[in-house]
Amino acid sequence: MEAIRVEKVSKVFDGAVVALNGLNLEIKAGELFFLLGASGCGKTTLLRCIAGLETPSDGRIFFGELDVTKLAPHKREAAMVFQSYALWPHLSVSRNISFGLEERKIPKAEIKERVAEALKMVRLEGYGERSIDQLSGGQQQRVSLARALVVKPRCLLLDEPLSNLDAQLRIEMRREIRSIVKDNGLTAIYVTHDQEEALAMADRMAVLAKGRIAQIGTPEEIYRQPAYSHVASFIGETNLADGDVMEMHEDFCFVKINGTALVGRVTDKNWRGQPGEKATVSIRPEVWRLHKESGENEIAGKVVERSYLGQRIEYFVDTVIGRQQVVEMNPYVLHSVGDHVTLHARHGDIVIFPKS
Ligand code: ADP
Ligand code: MG
């Protein structure tokens, strides 16, 4: 398996629609990499450019040291798996998988061996003679994975592969696909709009916006250190509030919002906010505590809504910095609507970036 490098790739459709805008990206060999972003931000276009199904208007794409920008799709050996499995329902599992090899005029004995190997990779040994319509949705998705893997691709490209499955199966398949990719040392790029799927499965992920990469990092980095408000609100839930910079330090800063000072971490290393400059504060619902902790970031509020969800309790609390969503696990005290409470948060848990 090989690394994939995307260098300044742009794609303009019909001379007007800029789907990709000078995008740079490096994916390591053996990495399970996720592309995330709102509908229309260019995820599928990027995947199609990497597969060779689309030609970039500008820029270059490398598999390892090989420049594949002008290479035909079948010569790139990048296998793509789609949301619709595109299997032939009247053919057996084996025939569905072997079809691509038969087209390449590979000897029968080798085809048989490789199909068996691919079935083993997706844990469907012994299913070769079944017909497709005898399989569950999850098994069908595994057949389409096997069909992709049987050609021994240099990389695996998955475009929303689980979107057609029901919620429960989708969650089970996360672990399944991840271990197929990892056990076989594949380099894989996985497109989804489901942020939880990305957080659960990715080695690293990139959030795309308007044909560019907004931020790239491990799931934990993206969730805990978002550098832009749209990344913070796209991945997980968050409370956002705008204010003015009071004091800027090396990696934290003080911001005043409606007369209340908050202190938090600065995630954009290049930002040197000046006093009075507009800034946005992002506070995850689970970061707020309803009991005294460090004395940092104390805000008085009134509970206006409560949802008891067993495992957790969700509140909405009105404060001087706006209505705050608060999530508590295993609380000391169960508060009621109308209660006056004080919210607390450690400065290391609050994130501050320039207002965009
Ligand atoms: P995503 O997969 O993130 O939802 P796409 O890559 O499909 O986004 O699309 C990115 C942008 O490019 C959108 O504005 C879309 O309408 C446009 N686009 C995609 N494919 C084509 C095409 N074949 N012709 C014209 N415009 C296209
Ligand atoms: Mg798409």
Side-chain angles (χ1 to χ4, degrees):
M1 279 291 149
E2 287 176 291
I4 299 169
R5 199 162 85 242
V6 175
E7 266 182 24
K8 296 189 191 145
V9 164
S10 293
K11 179 69 189 179
V12 182
F13 287 107
D14 314 323
V17 181
V18 182
L20 299 173
N21 189 0
L23 187 143
N24 292 301
L25 182 62
E26 266 192 81
I27 292 150
K28 297 171 195 150
E31 190 166 41
L32 174 51
F33 191 91
F34 271 67
L35 293 174
L36 227 88
S39 179
C41 71
K43 304 180 295 294
T44 295
T45 303
L46 177 56
L47 223 51
R48 289 173 59 82
C49 284
I50 294 171
L53 302 172
E54 214 69 82
T55 311
S57 315
D58 204 3
R60 299 204 293 174
I61 297 172
F62 294 85
F63 288 178
E65 288 311 307
L66 180 68
D67 185 341
V68 298
T69 317
K70 300 231 159 68
L71 214 56
H74 66 277
K75 291 199 173 147
R76 296 189 188 198
E77 290 156 22
M80 204 148 163
V81 175
F82 304 93
Q83 171 179 348
S84 62
Y85 318 135
L87 300 170
W88 287 286
H90 56 284
L91 293 186
S92 69
V93 168
S94 286
R95 280 301 306 285
N96 267 280
I97 297 172
S98 65
F99 197 83
L101 299 179
E102 287 166 19
E103 277 195 318
R104 285 166 210 220
K105 308 260 183 294
I106 289 171
K108 275 214 165 75
E110 188 186 336
I111 290 181
K112 202 170 167 207
E113 208 171 289
R114 281 171 66 173
V115 168
E117 200 182 324
L119 282 171
K120 197 170 164 200
M121 284 166 91
V122 300
R123 297 186 248 299
L124 281 178
E125 290 132 301
Y127 280 76
E129 294 319 307
R130 302 237 187 146
S131 74
I132 293 299
D133 43 25
Q134 285 177 299
L135 302 181
S136 69
Q139 287 169 333
Q140 289 186 23
Q141 184 53 287
R142 280 191 274 166
V143 173
S144 72
L145 260 172
R147 184 183 51 191
L149 295 172
V150 80
V151 301
K152 301 196 169 134
R154 286 209 186 94
C155 61
L156 185 63
L157 308 171
L158 304 123
D159 195 357
E160 314 231 5
L162 302 181
S163 302
N164 277 347
L165 303 178
D166 66 53
Q168 183 59 36
L169 190 56
R170 214 155 60 212
I171 290 171
E172 286 167 29
M173 286 297 288
R174 285 180 192 166
R175 203 174 290 133
E176 189 91 7
I177 291 187
R178 184 170 161 90
S179 57
I180 290 168
V181 169
K182 288 288 140 188
D183 293 352
N184 296 291
L186 305 174
T187 305
I189 307 180
Y190 190 126
V191 164
T192 183
H193 62 266
D194 182 339
Q195 33 118 352
E196 203 183 85
E197 200 166 283
L199 289 172
M201 294 177 70
D203 290 325
R204 285 194 308 149
M205 58 205 262
V207 181
L208 263 67
K210 296 188 188 138
R212 285 174 191 261
I213 289 183
Q215 196 173 350
I216 191 164
T218 62
E220 192 190 349
E221 283 163 355
I222 297 285
Y223 185 79
R224 289 178 54 86
Q225 301 171 43
Y228 305 95
S229 58
H230 70 268
V231 173
S233 51
F234 191 75
I235 309 293
E237 290 179 282
T238 197
N239 299 293
L240 295 173
D242 293 338
D244 304 300
V245 172
M246 294 165 66
E247 260 179 61
M248 194 83 185
H249 294 262
E250 186 61 27
D251 49 8
F252 63 99
C253 119
F254 289 84
V255 169
K256 187 169 262 178
I257 306 170
N258 292 333
T260 292
L262 289 175
V263 55
R265 275 191 309 150
V266 173
T267 44
D268 181 347
K269 300 283 175 260
N270 300 317
W271 184 47
R272 288 267 125 246
Q274 300 301 312
E277 196 176 322
K278 291 283 174 213
T280 300
V281 174
S282 165
I283 309 161
R284 299 283 187 198
E286 72 279 11
V287 155
W288 280 129
R289 309 289 158 89
L290 283 158
H291 56 272
K292 189 160 181 97
E293 210 170 54
S294 58
E296 293 175 324
N297 295 315
E298 287 192 2
I299 294 184
K302 187 176 166 192
V303 176
V304 292
E305 207 180 304
R306 182 185 86 184
S307 307
Y308 184 81
L309 299 165
Q311 188 193 40
R312 64 183 195 280
I313 296 145
E314 282 183 13
Y315 298 102
F316 282 95
V317 178
D318 275 354
T319 74
V320 67
I321 69 161
R323 183 162 292 183
Q324 299 294 296
Q325 188 184 2
V326 178
V327 169
E328 270 209 314
M329 312 282 282
N330 194 20
Y332 285 178
V333 188
L334 195 56
H335 294 284
S336 307
V337 171
D339 281 4
H340 291 274
V341 294
T342 308
L343 302 181
H344 304 262
R346 293 184 299 232
H347 79 271
D349 291 339
I350 290 184
V351 168
I352 299 176
F353 24 69
K355 181 171 156 55
S356 50

